[in-house]
Amino acid sequence: MSDTSTLVEPSTAADPASESRTPAARRPGVLASVVRNHPRMLAVVLPLAAVSEAAEMVMPILLGMVIDRGIVAGDLAVTLIGAAVLIGVRLIGMLLWIYTFVESQKACMYERHRLRVGLTGAVLDPRSRLVRRPAGEVLSIATSDADKASDVLDMLPWLFPSGLVILGATGWMALQDVWLGAAMLAGIVVMVLVVRVITPTLSRRYDAQQSEAAEAAATATDLVHGLRVLQGLGVQSRARAHYRRRSRVALEAALVNARYSGISSGLTTLVTGAMLAAVVLIATLRGLQGELGIGALIAVVGVARQVMGSLQGLSNIPVWWASMSTSARRVRDLFTDLGRDVDDPGLTLDALSVARDDRGDGAGAPQQRRGGAGGLHLPEYGLSVPDGSFVAVACSDVRDGEAIIDAVSGHHDAGALVGTTAISPVERAGLRSDLLVEPHVVDLFDGTLREQLATRAPDGTATDGSDDAWADAALRAAGAEDMLRILPEGYDSRILDRGSNLSGGQRQRIALARAVAADTPVMVLQDPTTAVDAVTEQAIAEALVAARRRTDRATLVVTRSPALLRAADRVVHLRDGGIAAEGGHLDLMEHDDYREMVQR
């Protein structure tokens, strides 16, 4: 219902109203969803990865056998065959590692893409709940956190195979000597205890770090979007200082997290080093006692060294798990705030790749000029705007104006109607052909002036530049005809994101022209002329009323602008959430409270 085009899939998307009743604890976990999407890949990759890890671990054992039975024994045939076997095992392990790495990375990249696109689709879907989060924070979650949460598919192909191979190596050590096996097992147990103790702390630290990083990103986004205003006020140095403070907080959180990560790595290095020293000492003693041959001694030390390397890799589990689980929770929480979940069928890549804008006639249906919709009705306020009328609402309390905009936006069911259809979270997507709400805060997107105006233009409109009469009419109704003289390339001039290369008044008038170009049966405007001068405001009022005064068009304007109030067919004065008076502007000026409000 806003002027922003959104991707939806009515036949499959979940109803946010029902989603909102699902406790967060029962919602699908992001990590579980990521793993669940690739059962076939994991069923193939995990066993092959285990074989690859085993090939690496068995290399020193085979080498020890070749030394004892070939080199020491003086058997050339055994030595040559053993060397060939070693090369073959090494080659097989390398090829399996390459295959498992490529497959796991493909799955990881796919999940990153799926989460990013799913979050973007949920944010843009009009049936999602309104999220009051800074744009920078949403961007951080939809990019950085989505990427980190997907790394679970990068970790699994070596985590479980490495664990199995380490246990197997411990068993082999025990067969060689019970004390060797005991030393290995003791090192593994201590490692598990260290991981178990430090992981919760790291998770909390990562949570704090990523939250502060998101706050810094949100601050940077706001500063960039408001750069022209900051320059106009001459407060760039204050803005820089504000961002430095925010960035410093994020840096301190990162340093604290790095400190704990360093402690974790140091403890695990100490444990693995002590284990290797114990194994080497025991094996050396057994060798000196003649219980182990030179080849067996080399094999034991080699296996211990391989195990140490694997344990060093596994020692990073607390850091990786803290990062992945925290990011996954942040992604899940954003989905929850939107009233959706990660497995929403309407947010799959297949659904979003074929989805088309739905403005009431079904996804992808032609959007021709619509007939009358039966007007706009707000029973809670006793207010009706029938077809063919231009009604202005003047609110003594700005909160009443905000409440009206909230009611007609459909973020919750406030009893408002378009004709006989309720404006509610369930119905709001289907009403977008009949209702357009243009809030006071203006959003413009990167593109040409023509593309801005064509955002919601009906199908059949000559948006290719062959006939700009429709755009001329929209600019005229918004008092923005001078934009064609101001902008160097006219309709082909580029408008930057959020209109950052325009003044506040220019942005406001282009947004109003875009709303007029949509030509919806019911249009609601909120303070559309607050950034223009009185002369321009008077011209806009006359042109806007002339453009919208049709028998099949209903217009409601929430404003205190004298020019718009004077041009309206009827003015409704709201006070304390109810109608205090209604009639023509000049008649209402006889009321002291109305006159004071307008002249304030």
Side-chain angles (χ1 to χ4, degrees):
M1 294 182 327
S2 68
D3 51 86
T4 307
S5 296
T6 52
L7 293 175
V8 295
E9 187 63 37
S11 61
T12 57
D15 175 9
S18 61
E19 288 288 335
S20 64
R21 293 189 293 268
T22 305
R26 293 170 51 194
R27 291 180 180 275
V30 172
L31 295 181
S33 174
V34 168
V35 173
R36 222 173 19 244
N37 279 341
H38 301 275
R40 185 173 300 178
M41 183 276 292
L42 292 173
V44 173
V45 165
L46 290 181
L48 293 181
V51 174
S52 175
E53 290 288 336
E56 292 296 319
M57 194 66 71
V58 82
M59 287 291 292
I61 299 176
L62 292 175
L63 179 60
M65 294 174 63
V66 171
I67 291 174
D68 279 343
R69 301 181 185 182
I71 298 175
V72 174
D75 192 328
L76 180 61
V78 171
T79 301
L80 293 177
I81 293 173
V85 170
L86 284 171
I87 294 173
V89 171
R90 180 65 174 174
L91 182 62
I92 291 173
M94 180 184 68
L95 292 176
L96 289 178
W97 182 88
I98 292 173
Y99 174 79
T100 56
F101 176 79
V102 170
E103 291 301 310
S104 63
Q105 287 301 303
K106 284 166 59 177
C108 184
M109 296 302 111
Y110 172 86
E111 286 302 317
R112 290 182 178 183
H113 177 58
R114 180 178 76 94
L115 291 179
R116 288 196 298 262
V117 171
L119 279 171
T120 304
V123 170
L124 294 178
D125 194 325
R127 291 163 300 179
S128 298
R129 291 203 302 260
L130 183 65
V131 174
R132 300 191 181 278
R133 293 189 185 215
E137 181 182 359
V138 174
L139 178 62
S140 175
I141 294 173
T143 52
S144 176
D145 286 310
D147 288 353
K148 289 179 181 177
S150 304
D151 285 343
V152 65
L153 291 177
D154 189 27
M155 183 183 72
L156 288 178
W158 63 265
L159 172 62
F160 290 111
S162 293
L164 291 174
V165 170
I166 288 173
L167 292 177
T170 303
W172 180 82
M173 285 281 196
L175 291 176
Q176 301 304 305
D177 186 276
V178 66
W179 288 107
L180 289 173
M184 290 278 289
L185 185 60
I188 294 173
V189 170
V190 173
M191 175 73 73
V192 170
L193 291 176
V194 169
V195 169
R196 178 68 183 85
V197 169
I198 205 165
T199 296
T201 301
L202 282 175
S203 294
R204 290 193 297 271
R205 297 298 175 181
Y206 262 100
D207 189 9
Q209 175 192 344
Q210 289 171 258
S211 297
E212 295 298 343
E215 290 287 344
T219 300
T221 302
D222 291 342
L223 292 178
V224 169
H225 286 150
L227 183 59
R228 288 193 63 187
V229 176
L230 294 172
Q231 290 174 335
L233 295 174
V235 293
Q236 300 97 308
S237 59
R238 183 179 298 178
R240 286 195 298 269
H242 176 63
Y243 179 71
R244 279 198 302 272
R245 287 193 299 271
R246 178 63 70 183
S247 181
R248 169 62 64 177
V249 173
L251 173 62
E252 290 173 355
L255 291 175
V256 170
N257 184 55
R259 191 154 51 242
Y260 277 87
S261 298
I263 292 173
S264 172
S265 297
L267 288 175
T268 52
T269 300
L270 176 63
V271 171
T272 54
M275 181 198 71
L276 178 62
V279 168
V280 171
L281 178 61
I282 295 172
T284 302
L285 291 175
R286 294 295 182 267
L288 292 175
Q289 295 169 358
E291 297 178 12
L292 289 177
I294 184 65
L297 178 61
I298 291 174
V300 167
V301 174
V303 169
R305 185 67 186 86
Q306 287 288 103
V307 170
M308 181 181 178
S310 296
L311 286 177
Q312 281 289 95
L314 293 177
S315 69
N316 291 317
I317 289 177
V319 177
W320 291 331
W321 178 254
S323 175
M324 288 184 295
S325 61
T326 299
S327 291
R329 182 186 57 75
R330 287 165 58 82
V331 170
R332 185 200 65 191
D333 288 348
L334 180 55
F335 271 120
T336 300
D337 289 350
L338 291 164
R340 315 299 285 270
D341 64 60
V342 66
D343 291 327
D344 192 317
L347 300 177
T348 63
L349 290 176
D350 289 339
L352 292 174
S353 65
V354 299
R356 296 295 181 269
D357 289 347
D358 180 7
R359 299 182 190 164
D361 295 327
Q367 303 299 321
Q368 306 295 339
R369 187 182 188 278
R370 305 276 291 184
L376 176 66
H377 311 282
L378 292 92
E380 181 179 349
Y381 297 92
L383 174 63
S384 287
V385 185
D387 286 337
S389 65
F390 191 106
V391 177
V393 175
C395 303
S396 295
D397 190 336
V398 294
R399 289 174 294 186
D400 287 334
E402 294 288 349
I404 288 177
I405 296 301
D406 195 39
V408 298
S409 296
H411 296 302
H412 61 89
D413 191 348
L417 304 166
V418 170
T420 58
T421 304
I423 305 175
S424 66
V426 176
E427 299 291 342
R428 63 194 294 255
L431 284 172
R432 289 191 297 165
S433 283
D434 294 328
L435 173 64
L436 184 146
V437 179
E438 184 70 39
H440 175 62
V441 178
V442 173
D443 282 319
L444 297 179
F445 307 101
D446 187 271
T448 66
L449 175 59
R450 184 182 292 107
E451 290 170 342
Q452 301 291 337
L453 301 179
T455 303
R456 283 283 302 270
D459 287 347
T461 302
T463 58
D464 58 356
S466 59
D467 182 5
D468 287 327
W470 63 275
D472 293 338
L475 289 178
R476 186 165 52 252
E481 294 171 289
D482 61 322
M483 296 297 296
L484 296 178
R485 298 189 300 271
I486 296 172
L487 296 175
E489 298 179 44
Y491 285 116
D492 294 318
S493 298
R494 183 185 177 192
I495 307 299
L496 299 181
D497 181 40
R498 294 198 179 187
S500 58
N501 58 335
L502 302 174
S503 68
Q506 290 170 339
R507 287 196 297 270
Q508 196 170 55
R509 286 184 291 159
I510 289 177
L512 179 58
R514 179 179 60 189
V516 172
D519 193 26
T520 52
V522 179
M523 182 166 71
V524 180
L525 304 173
Q526 181 186 24
D527 293 322
T529 60
T530 54
V532 300
D533 58 72
V535 175
T536 303
E537 188 174 53
Q538 181 62 41
I540 291 174
E542 295 173 358
L544 179 61
V545 171
R548 290 291 299 178
R549 188 172 278 154
R550 301 286 187 271
T551 57
D552 58 354
R553 293 293 179 263
T555 307
L556 175 67
V557 182
V558 178
T559 183
R560 292 183 182 179
S561 161
L564 285 170
L565 295 173
R566 187 164 46 247
D569 299 325
R570 178 165 55 99
V571 177
V572 176
H573 178 204
L574 277 188
R575 186 177 61 211
D576 298 329
I579 296 178
E582 60 181 309
H585 171 65
L586 296 179
D587 294 332
L588 292 180
M589 286 295 286
E590 300 296 328
H591 298 256
D592 293 341
D593 53 350
Y594 178 82
R595 183 173 62 255
E596 291 173 3
M597 175 195 66
V598 173
Q599 295 177 346
R600 188 178 306 162

